Every structure is written in structure tokens, then in C-alpha cells.
Amino acid sequence: MTHPMPSSSPISSDAVNALNESERKRIEAKSALFAPPTPVTEDGRRELVGLSREELAEVLTEIGEKPFRAKQLWHWIYHQGVTDFSRMSTIAKPLQAKLEQHFIVGRPSLTTQQTSKDDTRKFLFRFRDGQEAETVYIPDRREDRGAVCISSQVGCTLSCTFCHTGTQKLVRNLGAAEIVGQFMAARDSYGEWPSPKGDTPRLLSTIVLMGMGEPLYNYENVAKAMKIIMDGEGIALSRRRITLSTSGVVPMMDRCGDELGINLAISLHAVRNDLRDQLVPLNRKYPIEELMAACHRYPAASNSRRITFEYIMIRDVNDSDAEARELVRLIRGLPAKVNLIPFNPWPGSDFRPSTRERLASFAQIIMDAGYAAPIRMPRGKDILAACGQLKTQSERKRQAESRKNEA
């Protein structure tokens, strides 16, 4: 069903742009406080993963090489997935040795890998400074493809009350190398190199920036990483295959739409400001009205590329028929779909998942209004009860080992 776009906002676009520019500068300044460490090894070698094409040419020039070498390296790093310079057969052996002396093509190290009975695979990656973040591969139930759920921060600053990751304080942002590296390491795990071309099926066919952290609070590194992944001569994943999930950092939504044009998912979870203030505290800064206005402005939204609204179904909290009808009113005029997600209980939370009857009734109201409303059943429950749990388990284990060593 086609839904017409709404009439223009009562606030002028110039006023919106001015407000957003001021807020963007504030967000970027705060983001800088959580900057990742410089991607350099202890022996002084520079990490090449995560560099833009221009930066790759610059570091090659610094060691006396011609910039055209960047194209060769880009192919080996991002199309072939090679990490060993000696295996880059189009590069002469003396240059291979020189590159080995100055640079590294790395991956995050694997702390834990678990594969569920439903074939969902969870990775806990450790970075050079010892910090950890999670990546999850969720295979499609019917086809040889699936989504890689990538983290953008170590911990999270949003403190959403239903979210297990929200119980972990924000430690730092992930760098572009660490964000790209998660996808590349997941590809290593499935042996999906070189990058599939044409009609060749891709097991790791989509990316969802929906792991640990709020990606729009680390926009610079996320954008740089996604531009590398979308480059047609490397990993070559289409922008239509990438979805960024945000709790509603309104000023950065506009920038993301203008610069990246990737798909958008909104962690909505409530249709009234008073309740969303509690569930998603960011709502106090950017209330529902501002969030929905930003969705209407989002340039990549179309009937073929709908905005996804994520809605955690919590029993007797946000799952009434009245709230379903208000949700329909909120998204009216948007090319949209709604993912209904039963709350996934985790230790320490008082929330409970909605009943099957409530889920069905809520979904039916949305579908009757002409919108898709799939109920997204949890995957990989036998290996990961809630987002963030792998990292929590790893931290507990390290703390226990530390106490044991001190005893």
C-alpha cells in the first residue's frame, strides 16, 4: 500500500538546519571525548584497515611509494580479504617486505565464538587496548544469506531501561578499523572471500548497525567505515544493504541521510513521550514529534526503502490496542514497516514479554492500516539471552580470574 508523504513541517528548513548544525557540533565535541586509540601496533606499525583511499595513498607516499599502489592494496585488503603482504601476488617481494615493516592488515582478535542451534553465530571481539564488543550473524531462515549486526561503541550511553547493553557504561567509540574489522572477521569465519560479484550469493549479505552502542553518537567513524564497505572495488556492499539503527539522535539523522543514504531503523518502543522518556531516556532531548519530523525528512526513505520502526513488546507497558492505533497515526504518511520484538528477559530486569495474544492483536491493527508488522522472534537464545551478555560474561570471568590471582 502506498502512503503519501506529508505536507511540509511548520518549522522552516533553514531553522531546522541551524538548530541541527549547532547540536551536531555539540555531539561531535562530546564524541571526541570517547575517541578510539590510534590504530598503531606496539612496534609502531600502522593499521591499514579503516583508512580511506586518500589516506592509504598518503601513508604509501610517506614511505616513498607511488600513490597508485593504494589501488593494489585496496583490492587485496577489501576484495580478496588478504592479511599477509607476502600473499599479495601482484606486489613485488621487496615491496611486500617494505609494507610488512611499516604496516599491518589486522582483525580484532576473537575472544568467544558461539553458534546457536538455529545457526545464529555470536562473536565477542577484543581490540588492541583490551576492550571488547559483540558482533552477531543472523542467517536467513529460507535463503543462503543473512545479516551481520555490528557494534559501534564499547558499552552504551543511552541507558534504555529494557536493554541489557544499557546497563554497561560507555567506555569509548570504536574506530573505523574496528567497525570494518568486525564485518571482515565475520567473513573470515564463513570463508566468504573474495567479495562475491554479480549474481553470486552472499552469505553475509546485509549489515545492521544495531549492536552495542548508538551509531549516531560515533558518526564520523561509522560513516568512514560504511564508505569503505560500500566502495565498489572492495567489499562492495550496496547502501541498500546497510541499515543504521538509532534511538533518535535527530541532528545526526539528517547528516546520515545526506551523506550516506543508507537505510534507517528507529528504536521507537513507545508512542507517548511520558513513557518513551522512561524507556528511551534520549527522548527527553529529542521527543517523538522531533523524531518523526526527522523521519519525514530522511532523503533515502521511499516505498522501496522503508524506514523500519523497532518496537519492543513489553507486557502491560506499551502493548495495548490503543498504543497500536497511536503507532499507526505516528507513521502515517511514511514509507514504513514495524518490527515487533518480544521483550527478551535478562537478569535484573522487571519487564516481561507480551503474551502471544497481545502480540497478535497489536500486529493485526498495524497490518489492517496497510503496514507490514512482522513479529521478530528472538534468535540464538541458547547462546545469548540478551544483547550485551557475551561481554558481561567475559568481564565477569576476567574479574574472577583477577581476584583469584590476587588471592
Side-chain angles (χ1 to χ4, degrees):
M1 180 174 179
T2 300
H3 299 275
M5 296 301 286
S7 58
S8 59
S9 167
I11 304 174
S12 74
S13 59
D14 288 344
V16 169
N17 290 338
L19 285 169
N20 281 351
E21 184 58 33
S22 173
E23 267 295 286
R24 275 196 287 267
K25 288 178 180 176
R26 184 192 66 79
I27 290 167
E28 288 160 5
K30 187 174 181 181
S31 177
L33 300 176
F34 296 92
T38 304
V40 174
T41 61
E42 289 183 359
D43 61 8
R45 289 184 294 166
R46 177 69 187 262
E47 173 63 77
L48 294 184
V49 173
L51 297 183
S52 67
R53 279 181 176 272
E54 294 74 21
E55 289 169 334
L56 189 54
E58 285 172 14
V59 298
L60 288 169
T61 302
E62 287 170 7
I63 64 166
E65 293 299 322
K66 299 293 185 185
F68 80 86
R69 295 289 186 191
K71 185 172 183 178
Q72 285 180 299
L73 273 173
W74 191 275
H75 172 83
W76 285 109
I77 294 169
Y78 295 117
H79 180 70
Q80 298 289 348
V82 171
T83 59
D84 185 346
F85 292 110
S86 67
R87 291 183 52 220
M88 298 181 181
S89 57
T90 59
I91 295 175
K93 290 194 183 305
L95 180 52
Q96 290 176 358
K98 188 176 182 181
L99 293 170
E100 179 72 28
Q101 181 183 352
H102 291 278
F103 305 120
I104 185 171
V105 178
R107 297 284 193 273
S109 63
L110 186 62
T111 300
T112 307
Q113 177 179 305
Q114 297 174 312
T115 304
S116 166
K117 288 181 288 188
D118 65 16
D119 293 328
T120 297
R121 188 169 292 181
K122 326 281 184 177
F123 308 89
L124 179 64
F125 290 122
R126 184 171 295 174
F127 305 107
R128 288 199 184 93
D129 62 352
Q131 296 297 337
E132 295 175 330
E134 295 168 348
T135 306
V136 180
Y137 174 67
I138 305 173
D140 189 276
R141 294 181 190 272
R142 295 170 296 278
E143 299 181 48
D144 287 337
R145 59 189 179 91
V148 186
C149 189
I150 288 178
S151 293
S152 56
Q153 296 179 308
V154 179
C156 190
T157 190
L158 295 180
S159 303
C160 298
T161 53
F162 57 84
C163 179
H164 190 263
T165 304
T167 64
Q168 303 176 25
K169 67 178 182 180
L170 176 63
V171 178
R172 68 169 175 83
N173 289 328
L174 293 179
E178 295 167 327
I179 296 169
V180 175
Q182 291 174 67
F183 184 76
M184 297 174 79
R187 266 198 167 181
D188 293 345
S189 178
Y190 285 90
E192 196 169 60
W193 298 104
S195 295
K197 284 190 170 183
D199 295 328
T200 306
R202 285 179 183 248
L203 284 177
L204 283 66
S205 58
T206 59
I207 285 176
V208 185
L209 288 151
M210 198 186 283
M212 299 175 69
E214 165 54 67
L216 292 185
Y217 275 152
N218 184 23
Y219 178 78
E220 294 291 347
N221 288 305
V222 166
K224 188 176 182 183
M226 292 307 104
K227 287 174 183 175
I228 290 170
I229 283 171
M230 292 188 292
D231 187 289
E233 294 183 8
I235 293 171
L237 206 61
S238 161
R239 70 185 70 244
R240 293 173 174 270
R241 296 285 185 181
I242 301 173
T243 299
L244 182 144
S245 177
T246 178
S247 292
V249 185
V250 168
M252 306 309 291
M253 287 168 62
D254 291 313
R255 186 173 173 196
C256 177
D258 290 339
E259 296 180 2
L260 296 179
I262 56 182
N263 301 323
L264 190 65
I266 303 295
S267 295
L268 188 62
H269 312 309
V271 294
R272 307 188 320 269
N273 280 319
D274 60 336
L275 179 57
R276 195 165 190 266
D277 285 350
Q278 297 173 39
L279 296 179
V280 186
L282 183 66
N283 195 72
R284 298 166 194 163
K285 182 92 182 151
Y286 307 111
I288 290 172
E289 297 78 13
E290 292 185 23
L291 173 57
M292 299 309 297
C295 290
H296 282 291
R297 292 194 300 268
Y298 197 73
S302 66
N303 285 318
S304 62
R305 297 177 65 193
R306 295 170 293 176
I307 293 177
T308 300
F309 289 89
E310 308 282 350
Y311 199 92
I312 296 278
M313 295 288 287
I314 307 173
R315 189 180 305 185
D316 300 328
V317 173
N318 66 349
D319 62 351
S320 70
D321 285 354
E323 281 159 313
R325 286 190 287 271
E326 177 60 13
L327 177 52
V328 168
R329 190 194 69 80
L330 280 177
I331 64 177
R332 188 170 294 133
L334 277 171
K337 66 177 281 191
V338 179
N339 272 347
L340 299 177
I341 309 161
F343 173 70
N344 198 5
W346 47 270
S349 174
D350 295 328
F351 293 138
R352 295 180 299 163
S354 299
T355 64
R356 286 184 177 273
E357 293 76 18
R358 274 284 85 227
L359 280 165
S361 178
F362 200 99
Q364 193 62 52
I365 290 169
I366 296 167
M367 290 188 290
D368 286 347
Y371 295 94
I375 297 171
R376 204 173 79 195
M377 300 310 293
R379 302 284 296 276
K381 291 184 74 172
D382 55 319
I383 59 171
L384 180 60
C387 183
Q389 188 164 324
L390 266 179
K391 182 172 183 285
T392 301
Q393 289 172 340
S394 175
E395 286 178 346
R396 284 180 186 151
K397 184 178 177 183
R398 279 195 283 171
Q399 289 168 1
E401 289 172 350
S402 178
R403 286 193 294 270
K404 185 178 178 181
N405 292 334
E406 289 172 0

